[in-house]
Amino acid sequence: MEREPQISMTVEDYDAAMDSDCESSSASVVPQFGDFARVEVDQAKYGVVEKMFRAGLGVLGEGVNVVALHMNSSFSIARHARLEAFRLYSRAVAVKRGGDANIRYAWYGGARDEILGIVTHGFGRCADFEDRVSNGIGVYLSPANFPIDCAMRAKEDEFGVKHLLLCRVILGSTEKIAAGSRQFQPSSADFDSGVDNPFSPLQYTIWSAYMNSHIFPLFIISFTAPSLSVSGTSKFPNPPRVEFSVLMNVLSRFLNPSQMTLILKCYNDFQENKIGRPHLIRRWRSLVGDKLLLLAIRMCGSRPT
């Protein structure tokens, strides 16, 4: 796996770091996400998390405005219980997997009320992807270096702001989960979590039985991102023009082999003049869906065709 960005805080020193920050700022900060306290722009953690977020967005980060950052700073019994559970499971998985629990940073996106519910009560349900092929039944998170998927899925609140959770996640031993799979637990005792691609994962699947022991929310980043908002209507925005070969390479990261076979067949028909460009695009939209196709186009960046 690619080395993940570093934040100057680990779960092991989490209590001390959070408690000292909270003591200095609690008098002047009114939390907007339950017990998550607002981080001031001049604090080091703000810059580190924002940099991680923007670096993961790449060229898609243009026009993104980070509105606020909140961090887990509660003194509640429930918060300490969740943290202790995370630590215990970290150690247990490490023992089971030869000393490495494979703990990673990961993003989770949702509506504001859902995020508030998670930080208050924990995860209560598995993800339901309306127009995407599932990779098992569980909680889906994105790697630290790929927040795009979560940013696209996050729903704007009444002020046009989106919200993502930055979490620590115990992955342990991962197994590939095929697109369309209805798997809901590890396939054997050899595995702890799922990934869409074992070499360059863009999605982690945490099974429902582990969703409140293997995921620990650290921060909530709130932002506006007109470039990452896709209308739910059937109208397809005019995207930057990209080379079809480049676009197919990006799509291959999201689609299963059978879907890519259909994509390639359409492209071959286009090259052989059996169908025109408008027909090709309509068929790709039908096979892929507007949201994913637009995301892939934006990931390619603006390039001449």
Side-chain angles (χ1 to χ4, degrees):
M1 273 188 191
E2 185 175 332
R3 186 177 180 182
E4 66 175 10
Q6 295 297 308
I7 291 183
S8 57
M9 177 189 68
T10 66
V11 170
E12 292 306 316
D13 64 6
Y14 184 76
D15 274 327
M18 293 298 98
D19 291 350
S20 62
D21 282 338
C22 193
E23 287 172 1
S24 64
S25 61
S26 59
S28 59
V29 174
V30 178
Q32 298 177 11
F33 283 94
D35 291 322
F36 273 54
R38 184 159 184 152
V39 180
E40 299 302 323
V41 176
D42 58 354
Q43 289 184 266
K45 293 183 183 66
Y46 190 105
V48 173
V49 176
E50 181 181 21
K51 182 178 179 181
M52 179 191 293
F53 178 57
R54 291 189 181 280
L57 293 177
V59 296
L60 296 182
E62 297 178 9
V64 170
N65 178 39
V66 175
V67 176
L69 181 71
H70 292 78
M71 68 182 179
N72 191 343
S73 57
S74 169
F75 291 97
S76 70
I77 294 176
R79 175 263 191 171
H80 282 290
R82 293 187 190 112
L83 177 58
E84 186 59 28
F86 187 86
R87 286 173 168 165
L88 288 172
Y89 275 95
S90 298
R91 290 193 284 269
V93 173
V95 170
K96 185 168 59 173
R97 304 304 175 202
D100 183 10
N102 193 14
I103 300 176
R104 300 280 170 170
Y105 289 106
W107 301 98
Y108 182 88
R112 184 186 187 281
D113 288 346
E114 181 187 5
I115 298 296
L116 179 58
I118 290 170
V119 300
T120 304
H121 306 292
F123 288 88
R125 65 181 180 85
C126 297
D128 179 17
F129 288 90
E130 302 157 351
D131 62 347
R132 283 195 55 182
V133 177
S134 70
N135 288 87
I137 302 173
V139 175
Y140 295 172
L141 301 101
S142 297
N145 62 356
F146 188 73
I148 300 170
D149 197 21
C150 287
M152 290 284 288
R153 286 191 279 107
K155 296 179 174 61
E156 294 181 351
D157 61 20
E158 63 271 29
F159 302 106
V161 179
K162 291 185 172 189
H163 311 278
L164 296 185
L165 277 173
L166 178 60
C167 309
R168 280 304 250 173
V169 181
I170 304 170
L171 295 179
S173 177
T174 62
E175 62 179 311
K176 181 179 179 179
I177 308 300
S181 171
R182 304 303 292 171
Q183 183 176 334
F184 60 91
Q185 61 187 9
S187 61
S188 73
D190 295 328
F191 302 107
D192 303 292
S193 62
V195 293
D196 60 335
N197 185 319
F199 303 105
S200 182
L202 299 180
Q203 180 176 281
Y204 303 141
T205 301
I206 304 298
W207 308 116
S208 59
Y210 302 149
M211 61 186 180
N212 285 311
S213 59
H214 286 45
I215 307 173
F216 188 77
L218 296 175
F219 294 94
I220 300 170
I221 190 166
S222 303
F223 61 98
T224 58
S227 62
L228 296 178
S229 297
V230 180
S231 172
T233 67
S234 59
K235 183 178 179 182
F236 192 61
N238 292 323
R241 294 169 66 88
V242 299
E243 297 174 5
F244 284 122
S245 59
V246 176
L247 181 56
M248 286 191 292
N249 184 53
V250 173
L251 286 173
S252 67
R253 300 166 65 183
F254 296 89
L255 304 178
N256 60 43
S258 62
Q259 289 174 305
M260 283 307 302
T261 297
L262 295 174
I263 290 290
L264 183 58
K265 183 181 183 304
C266 291
Y267 181 62
N268 289 337
D269 287 346
F270 169 71
Q271 284 188 310
E272 295 170 5
N273 294 320
K274 294 180 180 179
I275 60 175
R277 181 189 180 94
H279 191 180
L280 171 68
I281 295 175
R282 283 197 301 270
R283 285 170 65 173
W284 277 17
R285 289 179 60 188
S286 176
L287 289 168
V288 178
D290 283 355
K291 288 185 178 181
L292 179 53
L293 186 55
L294 180 57
L295 170 61
I297 290 171
R298 285 175 171 158
M299 288 177 66
C300 292
S302 299
R303 300 176 184 176
T305 55

